[in-house]
Amino acid sequence: MTRKNLNLKLFEKAYLIRRAEEKIIEVYDSNEMKTPMHMSMGEEAIVSGVASALSGLDLLFGTYRSHGLYLARSGDTFRFFSEMFGRESGVVRGKGGSMHLSDPDRGLVATSAVVASTIPVAVGSAYALKKKGTRGVSAVFFGDGAIDEGSFWESLNMASLFKLPVLFVCEDNGFAVHTPPALRHGYKSISAIVSRFNCSVFSSTSTDAEVVFNLASRAKNAIFAKQTPAFIYLKYYRYLEHVGTHEDFSAGYRSQEEYQKWLKVDPLKILASKLKKLGVGKGELDKICKDIDLAVERSFKKARNSAFPNPAELYKNVFHEK
Amino acid sequence: MKSRRISYRDAIREGLQEEMKRDKNVFIYGIDVADFKGIFGSTIGLKEEFGDRVFSTPLCEDSLVGFGLGAAVSGLKPINVHIRVDFLLLAMNQLANMVSSFHYGSGGKLKVPLVIRAIIGKGWGQAYQHSKSLQSYFAHLPGLKVVMPTTPHDAKGLLISAIRDENPVIVLEHRMLYDVVDKVDDENKLVPLGKANVLRRGGDITIVATSYMNVEAIHAANILKKRGISAEVVDARSIYPFDSETILKSVEKTGHVIVADYDWTFCGFSAEVAAIISEKSFSSLKSPVKRLGFAFAPAPCTRPLENLFYPNAEVIVRSVEEKLGLKSTNLKGEEFFTYENKFRGPF
C-alpha cells in the first residue's frame, strides 16, 4: 500500500469515528440512547492505527470505551447506532449497549465494562490461536487504569511465560476516571516495568495514526519473530468527560489549556494536513468527508427508526442450545 | 450392561482421559494439575499420555478462568481445575462478569465450552478456607451450569456431559468421595446435566440431598429402615439446570420433605428447593419443608466443633422423627462421620 493510500484509509476510519460520536452528542441529551457513553474522541489515531495493522486472522478485545475500536474494525455505523438506541438490529441486539460491543464475526471478540477483565481472556484466545497454528495475534486494548489491576499482571506473566501471541495495547489518557497516575502508581514508567518481562515493549506519544500503525506493525512482527507477547504504550487525551458527552473542565481536575495543546495535534487534523502534502486535493478530501457524513446520517436515521427487541429476546442466548 | 467397580477418583480420571482421546481440543490446566499429586490423583498419568495438553500454571485464579474463557470462545475445550473451591472465589469477577454472560453479550454468537472442576472439602480440620461448597453462589448466576456428583458413575458421567456441553459448567467434586468405590457403567456412561437421581426408593419421606449429604442421607435411611420407615433419597446432582420434576414427583408421593444441602441454608440452594416445592406442590405437603445444612458459622478447625458444624445422619434421623411424630430411636452403636474417621490427611 502506498503511503497516500494508507493515510487515506487511516483518515477514513478516524473521520468515521469522529462523525459517529458527534452524531451521538447531537441527540444524547434527549435521553433516547439509554446507555452510559464513554466517548473515544481524541483516541482515533490509536484505534485506527492498530486496527489497520491487524488482519482478519487477528482477534480484538476492548473496554467500555470501544466505539472507536468497533468502528475502526467494522466501518459499520448502522448496527452501531442501533445498539446505542437499544434496537434489535444492534451489534448485540440491544443487549450490550455502548459498553459491550461484541462482533465475533469480524474478530472483535468482546469488550468489558469491568476494568482489565478482557485481558486474561485475550491471553486465552492467543493460546488457542497458537495451538491451532493460526498466524494471528490477540490484541487487547485497555487504559492505564487497568495496570492497577492484578489481572493485568497475572495475564502479562502468563503470556510471557507461555510465549503467546498477545498484543497488549495500553491507551493512557492520563486518568483512571478522574484520578491521575501520580495518585495511583508506585513507580514512574509503565513501559520500564513491563520490559522486565519476556515481552517486547513499544511506546509513542504521537497522535499520528500512521506512527501508531507502524508501531503496531512492528509489534506484530516482533510477536512472531521473537515468540513473545508485545506491549504498546500510547498516549492520548480524552476530549470529553469520563462518561457522558460533555466537557468537564470546570470540575477542576484538568485544564482547558492542556486540552488546547492536544487539540493542536488532533489526530484528524494531523491526517488531513498530511494527506494534503501527499497530494490529496481539498476537493478529494471534502468528497470523502461528505460521503462519510451521508452514510452516518442515513444509518443513524435508519437505526433510530428500527424496532426494539421483542419480549422473547430477554431469555434468548442465556445458554447455547443446539 | 457392562460395568466395573472403580473409585470416584478413577472415574474422574477415566472421564478426562476418554474425552481427551476423543477430542483433541480438550486440555487441562490449573495450579498443580501436572504435578506428582495430580489433584487428589484425578489427573495422574494424563500429562505423560497427552503432553502439553495438561499443564500446571502460575497462581492467578481470576486470570486462569479468563484464560479458559478466551480459549473456549476461540475453539478449544478447556478444563480448569481448582484444588479447593474456596480459591475459585478469586475468580468471581471472571465467573460473574464475563463467563456467565459472554454468550448472551455476544448476541448468541460466542460459545463457551468451558469446564471448571473445583474440589469441595470437609473434615480433618480443614477450617474455614478449605471447606466451602458455594453451589448457590455459582447457580445464582444466569449462564452457568453447576453439578455436584455423588457417585463414581455420576462423577464420570456428569464430567463427560460437562465437557461435551457448549456452555460453561462448574463441577463440584467432594474430597471425601474420592475413595468411594462403586459401580460405573461402561455403556450409557453419559449422565445428562439437569437430571436428579433417586438413589433410594421410599414412600414415607423424601430427603433431597446434595453431594456428600447423600452419603449421610443413605446412612440415615438405613437406620430408619430398621424401625419401618422408608425414606426416599433424591440426589439433586445437577444444581442448575434444576430437575424439579423428579423432586416434585417424590414429594407428591411422600408428602414430607427434608432438604439436606451440603452448604449453609440461609439464601442457599435448600431455600430454593423449599420455595419451588411450596410454589408448585404446596397441597401435597403434609408438613413444612425442613432444611439441613452447615451451622451458620465459618467452618471451625477443631474436631468437636467441626462435628457440630456438619450435619450428619444422626441429625437427619432426628429430623425425620420430629417430622413424622416418632419417638427418638436409640442410636447407640451407630457410627457417624465414618468417612472422616478413615481420613488421615495431609490435606
Side-chain angles (χ1 to χ4, degrees):
Chain A
M1 199 186 299
T2 63
R3 261 196 82 206
K4 183 180 148 186
N5 285 345
L6 171 66
N7 279 281
L8 274 171
K9 184 174 148 190
L10 293 168
F11 178 81
E12 280 167 14
K13 280 189 194 298
Y15 185 77
L16 179 78
I17 297 166
R18 181 67 59 89
R19 281 302 299 139
E21 286 208 322
E22 282 170 353
K23 201 67 209 165
I24 290 172
I25 294 171
E26 268 178 44
V27 298
Y28 196 59
D29 288 342
S30 73
N31 204 27
E32 268 181 88
M33 290 179 169
K34 294 180 177 65
T35 173
M37 293 292 179
H38 299 79
M39 306 291 274
S40 57
M41 286 184 156
E43 72 158 348
E44 293 92 340
I46 298 178
V47 286
S48 307
V50 177
S52 300
L54 297 178
S55 79
L57 294 175
D58 301 321
L59 300 173
L60 283 84
F61 294 83
T63 68
Y64 49 87
R65 199 182 299 286
S66 288
H67 293 170
L69 188 59
Y70 174 79
L71 294 167
R73 181 68 168 189
S74 69
D76 155 73
T77 44
F78 171 63
R79 291 174 70 226
F80 172 74
F81 286 132
S82 295
E83 191 63 34
M84 303 299 131
F85 279 118
R87 312 296 157 148
E88 185 155 21
S89 48
V91 183
V92 286
R93 299 148 100 168
K95 290 176 180 176
S98 162
M99 302 194 289
H100 303 291
L101 299 165
S102 162
D103 194 5
D105 295 341
R106 289 189 174 104
L108 176 59
V109 184
T111 58
S112 165
V114 178
V115 174
S117 295
T118 47
I119 303 177
V121 186
V123 175
S125 278
Y127 173 78
L129 288 173
K130 190 175 173 180
K131 271 276 153 197
K132 290 184 170 275
T134 313
R135 202 179 157 82
V137 303
S138 185
V140 57
F141 292 71
F142 48 87
D144 82 307
I147 290 171
D148 299 348
E149 300 280 356
S151 67
F152 167 74
W153 298 102
E154 293 179 358
S155 300
L156 177 64
N157 182 48
M158 263 201 287
S160 301
L161 175 71
F162 298 147
K163 303 179 188 309
L164 299 179
V166 183
L167 180 63
F168 295 98
V169 184
C170 178
E171 303 179 89
D172 186 355
N173 64 23
F175 295 100
V177 188
H178 307 124
T179 306
L183 300 181
R184 297 182 286 111
H185 292 174
Y187 52 88
K188 282 202 183 85
S189 160
I190 291 170
S191 296
I193 293 185
V194 174
S195 66
R196 307 306 292 265
F197 284 76
N198 297 321
C199 176
S200 309
V201 175
F202 302 83
S203 77
S204 172
T205 53
S206 174
T207 49
D208 181 346
E210 190 185 3
V211 172
V212 177
F213 169 85
N214 287 329
L215 209 62
S217 305
R218 276 172 53 209
K220 207 183 143 174
N221 289 337
I223 286 171
F224 294 115
K226 294 160 84 176
Q227 296 284 306
T228 60
F231 180 93
I232 319 181
Y233 175 80
L234 298 161
K235 288 285 287 177
Y236 79 101
Y237 193 73
R238 193 184 75 213
Y239 289 2
L240 303 174
E241 57 195 331
H242 165 69
V243 54
T245 56
H246 299 279
E247 292 174 357
D248 63 352
F249 299 106
S250 61
Y253 74 99
R254 58 181 192 162
S255 70
Q256 185 89 38
E257 292 70 44
E258 201 185 359
Y259 173 47
Q260 292 303 329
K261 264 192 248 165
W262 281 91
L263 263 188
K264 284 186 190 144
V265 288
D266 177 72
L268 285 157
K269 211 183 274 176
I270 288 184
L271 285 168
S273 71
K274 204 186 332 170
L275 284 172
K276 209 165 165 189
K277 281 182 207 148
L278 290 168
V280 179
K282 190 175 180 305
E284 196 181 336
L285 201 61
D286 285 349
K287 163 113 180 42
I288 290 168
C289 294
K290 225 175 132 185
D291 288 349
I292 292 173
D293 291 349
L294 204 69
V296 164
E297 207 59 47
R298 273 200 198 123
S299 57
F300 183 87
K301 258 190 208 129
K302 195 175 153 200
R304 200 179 204 172
N305 294 322
S306 295
F308 282 112
N310 65 45
E313 253 325 298
L314 176 62
Y315 293 107
K316 255 190 208 161
N317 303 132
V318 177
F319 289 100
H320 170 76
E321 282 160 41
K322 275 192 184 127
Chain B
M1 192 187 298
K2 242 182 95 190
S3 73
R4 293 161 298 131
R5 289 176 63 79
I6 59 171
S7 70
Y8 189 90
R9 164 187 298 111
D10 289 338
I12 292 167
R13 189 172 48 212
E14 277 189 12
L16 294 170
Q17 188 184 28
E18 285 173 22
E19 287 306 287
M20 288 188 85
K21 270 190 194 155
R22 197 182 69 87
D23 185 347
K24 65 177 179 15
N25 289 319
V26 177
F27 71 99
I28 303 172
Y29 73 105
I31 298 164
D32 294 343
V33 299
D35 75 5
F36 64 99
K37 292 215 167 177
I39 311 289
F40 295 112
S42 67
T43 57
I44 292 280
L46 298 178
K47 187 175 174 57
E48 288 70 19
E49 188 172 353
F50 298 102
D52 64 3
R53 286 168 63 197
V54 181
F55 57 94
S56 292
T57 63
L59 287 70
C60 51
E61 285 82 354
D62 191 45
S63 293
L64 289 176
V65 168
F67 179 92
L69 172 59
V73 299
S74 304
L76 298 181
K77 294 205 144 202
I79 301 173
N80 179 209
V81 191
H82 297 263
I83 199 150
R84 284 289 189 284
V85 78
D86 309 64
F87 305 146
L88 204 47
L89 289 170
L90 285 163
M92 277 313 267
N93 176 49
Q94 283 296 329
L95 288 169
N97 285 322
M98 302 290 282
V99 172
S100 64
S101 43
F102 235 53
H103 180 63
Y104 198 75
S106 68
K109 292 216 169 120
L110 295 171
K111 286 187 285 185
V112 188
L114 167 65
V115 172
I116 296 172
R117 289 178 52 206
I119 285 79
I120 59 179
K122 106 178 243 198
W124 208 78
Q126 297 292 305
Y128 43 80
Q129 293 180 347
H130 274 44
S131 56
K132 292 187 195 69
S133 190
L134 307 179
Q135 62 271 25
S136 304
Y137 286 37
F138 304 130
H140 185 68
L141 300 164
L144 294 185
K145 294 186 178 180
V146 185
V147 296
M148 302 180 88
T150 304
T151 66
H153 180 72
D154 287 358
K156 183 172 178 178
L158 286 171
L159 178 61
I160 294 175
S161 294
I163 295 168
R164 294 188 190 177
D165 201 281
E166 305 266 33
N167 294 287
V169 185
I170 297 180
V171 184
L172 299 173
E173 302 159 7
H174 199 290
R175 187 174 69 110
M176 287 287 167
L177 296 172
Y178 267 68
D179 288 317
V180 171
V181 173
D182 199 6
K183 194 172 67 120
V184 171
D185 294 336
D186 285 337
E187 295 146 45
N188 297 334
K189 60 189 177 190
L190 276 170
V191 175
L193 308 178
K195 284 269 171 256
N197 183 27
V198 180
L199 276 181
R200 187 192 180 105
R201 302 255 166 220
D204 297 323
I205 186 160
T206 300
I207 305 169
V208 179
T210 55
S211 188
Y212 189 79
M213 284 311 291
N214 282 289
V215 173
E216 299 295 340
I218 293 286
H219 190 169
N222 287 335
I223 294 169
L224 289 162
K225 194 181 164 199
K226 290 182 203 160
R227 58 178 306 180
I229 303 296
S230 84
E232 180 144 301
V233 178
V234 184
D235 181 357
R237 195 161 67 171
S238 181
I239 306 301
Y240 194 90
F242 177 64
D243 176 9
S244 55
E245 200 183 317
T246 300
I247 285 157
L248 293 173
K249 221 161 95 187
S250 179
V251 173
E252 276 149 27
K253 180 171 67 177
T254 64
H256 295 284
V257 199
I258 290 174
V259 187
D261 188 20
Y262 190 77
D263 201 355
W264 291 288
T265 54
F266 188 75
C267 285
F269 177 67
S270 65
E272 185 62 41
V273 176
I276 289 173
I277 292 168
S278 77
E279 279 170 6
K280 301 209 169 144
S281 200
F282 187 72
S283 59
S284 62
L285 286 176
K286 294 176 196 154
S287 67
V289 177
K290 168 88 180 169
R291 292 187 288 143
L292 297 176
F294 300 164
F296 200 55
C301 178
T302 180
R303 193 55 187 266
L305 296 184
E306 192 184 45
N307 284 352
L308 288 173
F309 178 83
Y310 293 105
N312 64 0
E314 182 178 358
V315 178
I316 297 175
V317 169
R318 296 298 179 222
S319 302
V320 171
E321 287 167 347
E322 194 188 318
K323 222 172 214 322
L324 302 181
L326 307 169
K327 278 186 193 150
S328 284
T329 314
N330 184 354
L331 294 176
K332 262 191 193 151
E334 294 288 349
E335 203 190 342
F336 296 102
F337 296 111
T338 45
Y339 280 76
E340 295 98 300
N341 290 336
K342 285 181 202 155
F343 201 74
R344 289 290 176 270
F347 69 98

